[in-house]
Amino acid sequence: MLFPDDTNFSSPSAEGGAFERLKVPYTYRSECYHFAKKDFSKQFAFIYASRLEEMLKLLEDSVQKKWGTEMPIKRLADLREDCPHKCVIIGTLFKHQELKPSILREISEENQLAPQPPRSHYTNDNDILILEDALQRIKLVGKIDVHSIVTGVVCAVMGYEESDGRFFVEDYIFYQGAPQKELPSLQTSPLLVLISGLNESAANDFSTPLELLQQWVFGNLEGLLDGHDWEAASIVRIVIAGNSVKASPKPKNHHSSKVTTETDALLGAVKTVDSLIHNLAQSVPIDLMPGEFDPANHMLPQQPMHHCLFPRSKGFASFRGVPNPYAFDLADRYVVGTSGQNVLDVMRYSKIESSLEALKATLRWGHLIPTAPDTLPCYPYYEKDPFIIGECPHVYFAGNVGEFSTEMWTGAGGQQTRLVCVPSFADSQSVAVVNLRTMECRKVSFKVGGFEGEE
């Protein structure tokens, strides 16, 4: 059985009677994603320099374990074409892509000078991989797949420089050796519920699936769960992973009436989200992450949405506005997640077609958002890159990424991470539920006409 009945509390009645909800320790660990100060005067080169400097030290140990201590690690400036000995160089990958959007092309399109067809993917057979260190750059050829990598990934490549100035890659590794704390055993089965993509568009727009979701959390649907009368009481936390508000297309020429209508719709949608959180927060701790279309800053890391947007919910200690990305400890499990921008961007600029594979790739690369700041906007950090995965999570999720999918990932050092791709609730009427004792995950669907749980 996926979620065994080992909890020790009374079950709720079919009419939704009171029950004692399971409690587990929780620690907030997202301080690094909050802006201590806002300084936009720095260039983005600093974040790449910080990323390379930190990951250079981390990768040196991995290089020695894989290729031995006798394999020299060189800088690009030390390479010699006339003496092509095998060596290792560590640097940041840059992917030259002809189809990548540029501001010059956008200006041309606006002026109807060179209209370009809209694209959802920007890969091309002529894409080139270039490795950069602190001083120089070199083109990579050989045994490395340009289409499975994106710009911003720090990589160690082993090979030699050819006579034409290119570096022939014989093997390569990424930093996937982040330490992971030991997973302590649990006597109970606490459940973490992950939701994304509510896409509310008007006031008091509670759909039937959303009503079913609330009743499930309150313990009023136990008769539909094949006797699992403990499940609602085992839910210890709900995380809403972005896009709670539906985006509306903005025409280039705004009329005052149109703007007013859009503003009213946005305010109504936020009120609906506030009402939902107000209802849920009376029963269970709930965290709200901003997403691409929510009323929050667009630049990553997105800061928590302002508490004034949620006048009914902000009074509950069980409600917390959190940033995107979001990191926390729950029942001694380290959980990290995003609202999905990182996964979708990796898929745009590579030939990785599965959101689960893209999520897995970011973990293997040791970086949450490698394409920032190249193709995803992010704050110009200059002392430290907060998106480096310095500790391997036990649960790693992304919201708003298509269909539900999950997998247990095993790292090079034996790390075990539960990967979860959370679908949009508005599209799938489903949520992801992680059992923090067994680390298994399933989808629970609230489609009208049949409440169901799927493994």
Side-chain angles (χ1 to χ4, degrees):
M1 185 184 298
L2 183 59
F3 298 94
D5 190 3
D6 56 3
T7 48
N8 55 1
F9 41 75
S10 59
S11 303
S13 67
E15 289 77 22
F19 59 82
E20 181 181 357
R21 188 175 295 280
L22 184 64
K23 295 181 180 180
V24 295
Y26 164 84
T27 304
Y28 184 77
R29 295 185 57 183
S30 298
E31 292 84 1
C32 63
Y33 303 127
H34 288 269
F35 296 153
K37 57 181 180 179
K38 295 182 179 180
D39 181 6
F40 293 94
S41 63
K42 303 297 181 181
Q43 295 292 321
F44 286 107
F46 288 102
I47 191 172
Y48 284 119
S50 300
R51 182 183 307 177
L52 180 58
E53 181 180 3
E54 183 172 350
M55 298 199 73
L56 184 65
K57 301 173 184 177
L58 299 173
L59 269 169
E60 285 178 350
D61 292 336
S62 302
V63 167
Q64 293 179 358
K65 290 178 182 178
K66 184 173 180 64
W67 295 308
T69 56
E70 297 181 357
M71 180 65 67
I73 301 176
K74 293 186 177 183
R75 297 179 303 172
L76 287 175
D78 298 329
L79 295 179
R80 296 176 56 187
E81 297 177 13
D82 59 342
C83 188
H85 295 298
K86 286 186 180 181
C87 65
V88 173
I89 53 175
I90 302 175
T92 306
L93 293 171
F94 173 76
K95 193 172 178 180
H96 177 74
Q97 296 180 278
E98 296 179 358
L99 300 181
K100 181 185 295 184
S102 73
I103 185 62
L104 295 178
R105 286 203 192 101
E106 291 179 11
I107 293 174
S108 297
E109 290 172 13
E110 287 184 3
N111 291 278
Q112 298 182 347
L113 298 178
Q116 299 291 328
R119 294 181 180 273
S120 58
H121 293 82
Y122 302 96
T123 57
N124 185 277
D125 291 339
N126 296 323
D127 293 347
I128 300 171
L129 270 184
I130 298 170
L131 190 75
E132 301 178 344
D133 65 6
L135 299 174
Q136 295 182 1
R137 53 169 30 192
I138 193 170
K139 181 180 177 181
L140 300 181
V141 294
K143 301 177 182 178
I144 185 168
D145 182 12
V146 63
H147 298 302
S148 64
I149 304 174
V150 294
T151 293
V153 176
V154 176
C155 179
V157 295
M158 188 271 288
Y160 56 89
E161 186 178 12
E162 295 182 326
S163 59
D164 58 0
R166 302 182 302 177
F167 191 88
F168 187 88
V169 179
E170 293 188 352
D171 200 0
Y172 61 96
I173 58 171
F174 306 107
Y175 177 65
Q176 51 179 318
Q180 185 181 59
K181 65 181 180 182
E182 186 178 352
L183 201 64
S185 60
L186 296 175
Q187 299 302 315
T188 58
S189 293
L191 306 182
L192 170 64
V193 178
L194 303 172
I195 313 171
S196 71
L198 296 175
N199 286 335
E200 294 299 328
S201 59
N204 301 317
D205 184 24
F206 283 124
S207 62
T208 302
L210 206 54
E211 291 283 4
L212 285 173
L213 168 65
Q214 293 181 78
Q215 297 306 316
W216 173 65
V217 173
F218 299 150
N220 295 339
L221 297 181
E222 301 301 346
L224 302 176
L225 291 174
D226 299 327
H228 299 338
D229 57 356
W230 51 270
E231 186 167 47
S234 298
I235 298 173
V236 295
R237 200 164 203 91
I238 296 176
V239 176
I240 302 178
N243 288 358
S244 300
V245 175
K246 186 175 182 179
S248 58
K250 296 182 179 180
K252 292 183 179 180
N253 299 319
H254 293 283
H255 298 289
S256 58
S257 60
K258 179 68 174 178
V259 174
T260 302
T261 302
E262 290 179 352
T263 302
D264 291 343
L266 175 62
L267 291 174
V270 173
K271 287 182 180 179
T272 301
V273 176
D274 185 26
S275 297
L276 173 66
I277 294 174
H278 171 266
N279 295 342
L280 294 174
Q282 298 179 58
S283 176
V284 63
I286 183 167
D287 300 324
L288 179 65
M289 298 170 58
E292 181 179 4
F293 305 119
D294 288 317
N297 64 300
H298 187 66
M299 183 175 288
L300 295 169
Q302 290 182 289
Q303 302 302 286
M305 286 187 277
H306 202 282
H307 60 83
C308 288
L309 293 170
F310 311 101
R312 299 185 63 196
S313 306
K314 66 181 182 180
F316 289 97
S318 55
F319 166 58
R320 180 190 289 266
V322 298
N324 170 37
Y326 176 36
F328 59 99
D329 283 327
L330 188 64
D332 296 318
R333 273 71 173 151
Y334 182 42
V335 184
V336 178
T338 72
S339 294
Q341 294 101 312
N342 58 334
V343 170
L344 296 175
D345 207 54
V346 166
M347 295 172 67
R348 288 188 194 103
Y349 293 95
S350 70
K351 289 190 176 180
I352 300 175
E353 298 181 354
S354 162
S355 56
L356 184 64
E357 289 300 318
L359 184 66
K360 189 191 306 181
T362 61
L363 193 58
R364 191 172 64 250
W365 296 331
H367 201 276
L368 290 176
I369 315 173
T371 57
D374 182 52
T375 53
L376 273 181
C378 81
Y379 181 76
Y381 291 98
Y382 55 93
E383 294 178 346
K384 184 178 178 62
D385 184 353
F387 304 124
I388 294 174
I389 302 176
E391 178 183 345
C392 187
H394 298 107
V395 179
Y396 181 33
F397 69 88
N400 308 289
V401 289
E403 297 181 354
F404 167 82
S405 55
T406 183
E407 180 181 318
M408 183 63 80
W409 175 82
T410 302
Q415 307 96 321
Q416 295 279 323
T417 301
R418 169 57 65 180
L419 303 175
V420 185
C421 289
V422 187
S424 165
F425 187 86
D427 296 334
S428 67
Q429 294 83 50
S430 63
V431 302
V433 182
V434 181
N435 184 324
L436 296 176
R437 184 180 72 84
T438 65
M439 301 306 295
E440 296 182 1
C441 180
R442 68 167 179 167
K443 179 177 75 171
V444 176
S445 177
F446 300 91
K447 291 183 179 179
V448 177
F451 177 89
E452 57 180 332
E454 302 177 16
E455 295 189 13

